[in-house]
Amino acid sequence: DGGITQSPKYLFRKEGQNVTLSCEQNLNHDAMYWYRQDPGQGLRLIYYSQIVNDFQKGDIAEGYSVSREKKESFPLTVTSAQKNPTAFYLCASSIGTSGIYEQFFGPGTRLTVL
Amino acid sequence: QKEVEQDPGPLSVPEGAIVSLNCTYSNSAFQYFMWYRQYSRKGPELLMYTYSSGNKEDGRFTAQVDKSSKYISLFIRDSQPSDSATYLCAMTETGRRALTFGSGTRLQVQP
């Protein structure tokens, strides 16, 4: 079955630690996205990538970093510089950014900072 | 002021009711409008996508866009308990590489 997988489902982090969230897709999509979702707020874009080895900052990139070494994979690192990292993180993909209107989402990773 | 406004609810209706969900927006350049459904603790799934003004129907779901009023709606006919979820509107403009999401409306359909 084609789809997007994210791991882990739940992640706990101590203050001052970096953590990396995994996102893998087997849909053969070129574009991939990372969003953050907080209670009472819509999804906010952190980073997006249109092709391998290229990525762009979204609206709230500070304190996050990404890489895109393979088409299938777009990991997100939450660094210690992110002041309020507790949130639900969603990865998405689309055929290309021209297909941005049809984004497919993964199941999400819930990150809690202790 | 947020670019996209959406009433958070919760909206509680009896099974079989017609549900109306709405979003307003301020950016007149938005041309592409989407509705996503998100079950608790899951990722959103695309329900419908429309371009510019007009209506689009898919089974029990109808999406309407009124660009003159900067107002979009999603109607659900014969609502079912399985429709209980959060509904997110999203929109964008040509050439923009990101979607702007509403905060979501939580819908509860009572059996």
Side-chain angles (χ1 to χ4, degrees):
Chain A
D1 284 337
I4 301 177
T5 56
Q6 290 186 243
S7 61
K9 190 172 181 180
Y10 298 97
L11 186 58
F12 297 90
R13 187 194 95 171
K14 291 182 181 178
E15 283 195 26
Q17 285 182 336
N18 293 356
V19 290
T20 297
L21 282 58
S22 169
C23 177
E24 304 275 335
Q25 55 98 359
N26 61 6
L27 299 166
N28 200 31
H29 284 173
D30 287 313
M32 297 187 73
Y33 312 82
W34 273 106
Y35 292 91
R36 170 182 171 139
Q37 187 175 32
D38 294 282
Q41 296 198 38
L43 279 65
R44 292 182 291 166
L45 183 67
I46 305 173
Y47 268 98
Y48 67 94
S49 168
Q50 299 179 63
I51 55 172
V52 174
N53 291 324
D54 181 69
F55 46 83
Q56 307 295 327
K57 292 181 180 179
D59 299 323
I60 55 164
E62 185 175 349
Y64 301 98
S65 66
V66 294
S67 63
R68 186 88 186 275
E69 296 175 2
K70 297 187 300 182
K71 187 175 183 177
E72 303 79 24
S73 178
F74 192 39
L76 173 74
T77 296
V78 184
T79 74
S80 56
Q82 170 45 237
K83 292 188 170 75
N84 184 19
T86 294
F88 189 45
Y89 289 87
L90 289 158
C91 178
S93 70
S94 63
I95 290 174
T97 46
S98 60
I100 188 176
Y101 328 112
E102 294 189 84
Q103 292 189 19
F104 294 84
F105 284 84
T109 292
R110 190 164 298 276
L111 172 64
T112 303
V113 173
L114 304 172
Chain B
Q1 184 188 2
K2 290 182 182 178
E3 242 180 331
V4 179
E5 298 278 0
Q6 190 174 5
D7 189 323
L11 177 63
S12 184
V13 301
E15 184 174 354
I18 296 175
V19 175
S20 173
L21 302 164
N22 312 294
C23 287
T24 58
Y25 62 94
S26 56
N27 186 347
S28 57
F30 285 149
Q31 293 181 294
Y32 299 89
F33 304 92
M34 288 128 278
W35 285 97
Y36 283 85
R37 178 175 63 196
Q38 185 177 24
Y39 291 112
S40 183
R41 301 182 183 274
K42 304 287 185 188
E45 56 179 323
L46 180 66
L47 277 177
M48 299 186 73
Y49 132 59
T50 55
Y51 171 72
S52 195
S53 286
N55 295 359
K56 186 174 183 179
E57 188 173 321
D58 184 1
R60 296 186 295 113
F61 298 91
T62 299
Q64 282 187 354
V65 175
D66 181 350
K67 289 191 70 181
S68 62
S69 301
K70 297 191 183 72
Y71 188 88
I72 69 170
S73 301
L74 178 71
F75 297 95
I76 306 174
R77 290 183 297 281
D78 187 26
S79 56
Q80 302 296 310
S82 57
D83 294 327
S84 298
T86 296
Y87 290 79
L88 299 154
C89 64
M91 48 198 79
T92 192
E93 58 189 285
T94 302
R96 193 167 176 179
R97 301 299 188 210
L99 300 180
T100 301
F101 282 84
S103 55
T105 298
R106 189 155 64 94
L107 171 67
Q108 297 170 340
V109 181
Q110 308 294 339

